[in-house]
Structure formats: structure tokens, C-alpha cells
Amino acid sequence: MSRGLDYCELRFHGLSRLPLALAGLVTTGWRVEAAPAARSLPRNGQTLSLLAGTEDKRVRLFAYTVTESSRNRPHERRVEITSTYPGGLPIARHYTDVVVAFDRESNGWVGLDNRRLSHGGPTHNASSFVPSSGFKKIVRGDITILPMETNLFETEFAAFFHAEQLAEYIFNAEQIHAGTYNGAGIFSGAISKPAPVGLSVRSDTLCGDDIVFRAPVPRRKKIAVNTSLISAYQDGLIADVKGREITREQLLELKRRCDEIGLNGERWVLSYERRRLKRAGRHDLADKIEWVSQTSPFAGFDISSFDASGDRRHIEVKATISGRRKFEMTENEWASAQSLRASYNIYRVTSLETYPALKIFVDPVALLESGVLTRRAANWLVEY
């Protein structure tokens, strides 16, 4: 620090968790370029401007404390969200709200879906109960994402991380809470470096209300992959992919996009199934639908739903951004179809990202036997 310049420390509310969160930025090389003219920060809801290359990411940060569950459940922890839109919290135009909470026991953080701020009513309380196991799974340089079944949303994803991953969390929060993040986003893998305690800023940078941070490294370069290549790869048309020149980075992005489309297709079917059952007057069954692939990825189907009569419906989702009438099944999926027969359904969703259309195949084994479907061998197993 140069002695020729006038520096001052920013003041924080005594109960605020914001200093701990912002320390995660400072220790990973983010530099404060400007700070609020008042020199003091609110207990919560501080606006930040994160400058990374040509990008200006503007967020309003809410940092809470993780506490014991109020429901006497040792496997869960509680985050009490006390500021909500229905409770009078004003919407900050041009800013994205970010909700995180600090856990004293693990010295870790959990990031929550900011849609919670739209709930809570006049009590201002939109508390979230998160799995305590998430804090035990935190690994430095990585974000652990766990699905949660909640009353507010169909499926909610919680992100567990050290403070050093705060920038990665903020820049990738949309994908994280959509369940499509693959861990290779902007500022992923950050490792902390020694940094002074507190936030010391130059007096001549005190202006406005934001804290302005400058990124230590350029943001991750976006890898472009042709849409036709994505749809061909996803639909198993490998012959259409073979003749195309593609880098390893593009291949990884291609696989990531296919995973993202698959997850979005499952999410679309989840919503469809809940609407279908509610229209049939079976709200009780709509609440019992399970997103099986999020907890049992080798079950051979993605969603466990019901007929209006209450019978189980096991659904394998095949989603694509194209309109092709071809899709692949794994041996595991086919084995499940053979075992479950009439309760096994394939939901084929086409044109997912434009005008989704759904075709349902009930009991694909019977459809194969009747000639409606055809099957071909896709892989060879070599034993030696």
C-alpha cells in the first residue's frame, strides 16, 4: 500500500455476514476500484459491480447465517431469509439478487435460489431448509450442487462452497439453480491467496452506493458450437458428426449442452406431468411426482409419476432441440422397459428450445413387437 495515498476502512454492521463473503473475492485477487461514499455498508443487501473483461455483473448480495433446524431434524440446517419482496423489499433495477448463507461449523457457504425472495408474505420469512450433508461435501476449488424437494418449487438446487468460490457462484448462479451447471464455468476452481483483513479503499474512490470490484483474470472464453452439430450429436447421428472438424474444447462444450438440454427436457416434463394431474383433480398425486434421475441416475427412467387412477407411470425423457423422429435408448433403459412394461413410458420432447412438442410411447417393448418402433444395435462389447 502506497503511503502517499489516503486510505480508509469500510465499516460493516456488527452482525453482518457481508465481510466474510466479500473476503472471498479479495482473497482470490478481486480488487476494489470504488466503494460507497458513506463508507459504511448495510447489514444486508449491498450492491456490487463485478467487472470482468468487458462484462459488468451487477448483483445485490444478501448474506445470512445457517442455523440449526427448527424442526428437530439433524439431517438439515435452516437459513432464515428475512427480506422478501412481499415483505417490502424493493426490487433493485439492473441488479440480480444473490442469496447466500454462512455456516459456522464448516466455515462454508450455501447459495440459494433467489426466487425465494418472491415468497414469505407479510411475515418476511422465506426460510429454507438445506441438507447438512452439503457442508460436509464442500471441496476447495469446487461447488457442490444438491437437489432439494421443497414446497415452493418443483425442485430446488442448493450450492455448497467456500468463500473463494463466491465469484464462480455469482457468475454461474442461473445455471446452478437450473440444475445444468457442469462445474467448468467462469472463475471456476479459484484458489485463495493471502490478503489483508477487512476492506481498505482509497478515499478518492468513495462515490455512489456500489462496491466495484475488478476481476483478477479475464472471464472464461465462450466456446461456440453449431446448433445443428448439437442436435445431431444428441440424437445419436454420429455419422453427421464424424465429418466435422471440432476441437476438444468444442467437444466438451457439445457434451455440456447436450446434458443441459436433457435436464431442461426433464424439467419440462415434470411441469407437464404436474399440470396434467392437477387438471385431472389429482393434486395429491401431483405433489408426489419424483425426479428420479437426480438421486438415482441408473434407475433406467427419469421421472416417477402417476396415472389419474393412481397407478405408477415410469417416464424416460428423450428431449431434443431438433424435430427428428429418432432417439437412442441405453441397454439399462431397455432393461427397465422390459421389466416395467405397461408402466414404462418414453416422453419424446422435440423442438425443446422453440416450440416444444410431446409424443408419448407407452410400453416400448410392445410397440417393438407390433412393429411401431424399430431397434438397432448401437454398440459392441469386446471381452478379452
Side-chain angles (χ1 to χ4, degrees):
M1 181 183 298
S2 173
R3 297 294 182 184
L5 298 174
D6 183 19
Y7 282 81
C8 63
E9 294 286 331
L10 296 182
R11 296 188 295 267
F12 293 91
H13 189 284
L15 299 177
S16 176
R17 294 300 181 189
L18 287 174
L20 294 175
L22 299 181
L25 295 175
V26 176
T27 57
T28 49
W30 288 78
R31 178 168 49 88
V32 179
E33 288 198 345
R39 291 180 52 186
S40 61
L41 277 61
R43 180 176 178 179
N44 235 333
Q46 175 61 48
T47 52
L48 309 176
S49 184
L50 305 181
L51 307 179
T54 60
E55 187 167 349
D56 182 356
K57 184 77 170 180
R58 299 189 179 191
V59 301
R60 181 170 56 171
L61 183 62
F62 293 87
Y64 295 101
T65 301
V66 177
T67 62
E68 296 297 327
S69 171
S70 59
R71 304 189 292 193
N72 296 320
R73 297 177 181 177
H75 64 279
E76 69 178 17
R77 306 296 298 281
R78 185 187 187 197
V79 178
E80 186 177 1
I81 299 175
T82 55
S83 299
T84 62
Y85 306 137
L89 175 68
I91 295 176
R93 295 184 60 191
H94 310 302
Y95 292 84
T96 300
D97 285 329
V98 172
V99 181
V100 297
F102 175 70
D103 178 58
R104 296 186 186 92
E105 292 185 9
S106 65
N107 200 35
W109 291 81
V110 59
L112 299 171
D113 196 320
N114 65 5
R115 291 179 297 168
R116 284 194 162 270
L117 298 180
S118 298
H119 300 269
T123 64
H124 306 196
N125 192 333
S127 294
S128 177
F129 295 91
V130 300
S132 55
S133 60
F135 296 104
K136 298 177 182 178
K137 296 179 179 180
I138 294 177
V139 177
R140 285 200 178 276
D142 198 7
I143 294 180
T144 299
I145 304 171
L146 297 179
M148 307 185 300
E149 293 296 330
T150 64
N151 294 327
L152 292 181
F153 315 119
E154 295 169 353
T155 299
E156 183 177 357
F157 292 90
F160 298 85
F161 54 91
H162 281 293
E164 292 88 346
Q165 259 51 59
L166 181 62
E168 179 186 2
Y169 172 72
I170 289 175
F171 276 85
N172 300 282
E174 184 176 352
Q175 284 184 322
I176 287 172
H177 293 297
T180 60
Y181 186 58
N182 67 350
I186 305 169
F187 301 113
S188 63
I191 301 298
S192 62
K193 300 177 181 179
V197 178
L199 281 181
S200 179
V201 298
R202 284 171 42 185
S203 298
D204 60 356
T205 64
L206 299 174
C207 60
D209 299 315
D210 289 7
I211 301 180
V212 180
F213 285 94
R214 173 70 66 178
V217 293
R219 64 190 295 268
R220 179 177 61 85
K221 182 180 179 181
K222 185 175 182 180
I223 301 171
V225 180
N226 188 280
T227 302
S228 64
L229 194 62
I230 294 172
S231 60
Y233 185 87
Q234 185 186 33
D235 293 337
L237 304 178
I238 304 301
D240 293 356
V241 180
K242 281 184 176 179
R244 308 281 288 274
E245 289 189 2
I246 182 172
T247 65
R248 177 170 177 78
E249 289 76 15
Q250 287 177 315
L251 177 60
L252 292 174
E253 176 64 12
L254 179 63
K255 292 179 178 179
R256 187 199 69 79
R257 279 285 287 130
C258 289
D259 287 341
E260 180 181 59
I261 292 166
L263 281 169
N264 287 338
E266 291 176 24
R267 190 175 292 107
W268 187 92
V269 170
L270 277 169
S271 297
Y272 172 87
E273 283 295 286
R274 288 191 170 97
R275 291 195 306 271
R276 177 180 63 81
L277 288 170
K278 288 177 180 179
R279 284 197 300 266
R282 298 306 305 266
H283 290 254
D284 58 327
L285 296 178
D287 293 335
K288 295 179 180 179
I289 295 174
E290 299 177 27
W291 194 352
V292 176
S293 66
Q294 294 302 298
T295 54
S296 302
F298 301 108
F301 56 91
D302 300 312
I303 295 167
S304 178
S305 185
F306 302 88
D307 291 330
S309 62
D311 292 334
R312 281 282 181 183
R313 181 179 291 190
H314 303 89
I315 301 172
E316 172 62 29
V317 179
K318 297 295 182 181
T320 180
I321 58 176
S322 73
R324 290 191 179 96
R325 300 176 62 178
K326 293 182 180 180
F327 57 85
E328 288 191 328
M329 289 186 68
T330 65
E331 287 297 329
N332 184 46
E333 291 163 357
W334 188 254
S336 294
Q338 289 177 312
S339 173
L340 297 169
R341 294 302 301 253
S343 70
Y344 193 92
N345 292 244
I346 298 175
Y347 278 37
R348 174 61 165 174
V349 184
T350 53
S351 305
L352 178 66
E353 296 182 347
T354 51
Y355 301 100
L358 173 65
K359 185 173 179 60
I360 300 176
F361 299 90
V362 181
D363 192 353
V365 176
L367 295 177
L368 176 66
E369 293 171 348
S370 64
V372 175
L373 299 181
T374 58
R375 185 186 181 211
R376 60 178 174 81
N379 299 298
W380 289 90
L381 175 64
V382 179
E383 294 183 328
Y384 63 96

